[in-house]
Amino acid sequence: MRKASTIFFLVLFVLAQTELHQLMKLPVLIEHFIEHRQLNSSITLLDFLKEHYQGHTVMDNDYQRDMQLPFKTADCLTAISFVFEEPVSIEFEQQVAEIRKEYNLHKGSFSSSQALHSIFQPPRHA
């Protein structure tokens, strides 16, 4: 449900804020091409597109119909403003806290030679 609503709102935003909503007028383009084809059967799609989109717009009998074609008029006005500010530099003072702890793991009367002497002894005969 969330995915579907996200896609819906994304499509709604794109169609409202860009000229992509002009693509919804493609059926009008096809119908108008068929109308021209009925008047002149030798006209190709490329000739039709050149006539209606390349160069100066001709004020002929079907001018109102020509203006209904996609991308003939711009009806999407979107004002987008960007604000650029001077970057602010923030400096932090690095403070190093040093903690010294001394641990005495050995007793003062501890002798390492005595410990080794009691652990490592030669083998005994039975």
Side-chain angles (χ1 to χ4, degrees):
M1 181 65 183
R2 290 181 76 184
K3 186 176 181 180
S5 62
T6 302
I7 291 172
F8 171 75
F9 285 116
L10 180 65
V11 169
L12 183 67
F13 174 77
V14 168
L15 290 177
Q17 298 298 322
T18 65
E19 288 293 328
L20 287 179
H21 65 277
Q22 296 282 344
L23 295 177
M24 298 175 77
K25 295 181 181 180
L26 282 178
V28 176
L29 178 81
I30 295 168
E31 289 175 8
H32 194 56
F33 173 65
I34 293 171
E35 291 169 3
H36 274 264
R37 190 76 188 235
Q38 289 172 351
L39 296 174
N40 181 6
S41 61
S42 65
I43 192 169
T44 63
L45 180 62
L46 189 59
D47 293 333
F48 172 78
L49 293 175
K50 284 182 184 177
E51 179 183 334
H52 287 87
Y53 288 100
Q54 185 179 20
H56 183 66
T57 304
V58 180
M59 299 278 286
D60 54 0
N61 295 338
D62 65 345
Y63 176 74
Q64 291 296 332
R65 182 78 167 148
D66 292 345
M67 289 297 112
Q68 293 175 352
L69 295 175
F71 302 106
K72 288 295 279 186
T73 58
D75 53 353
C76 180
L77 301 173
T78 304
I80 298 175
S81 61
F82 294 98
V83 178
F84 296 101
E85 294 183 6
E86 185 176 328
V88 177
S89 65
I90 300 174
E91 294 181 18
F92 294 101
E93 291 182 21
Q94 185 176 4
Q95 296 179 353
V96 179
E98 194 172 311
I99 300 173
R100 291 186 183 177
K101 291 186 179 180
E102 292 184 18
Y103 296 101
N104 191 0
L105 300 176
H106 304 288
K107 294 181 181 176
S109 63
F110 182 76
S111 173
S112 61
S113 64
Q114 291 174 355
L116 291 177
H117 179 67
S118 64
I119 294 175
F120 299 106
Q121 295 181 0
R124 297 183 186 166
H125 294 290

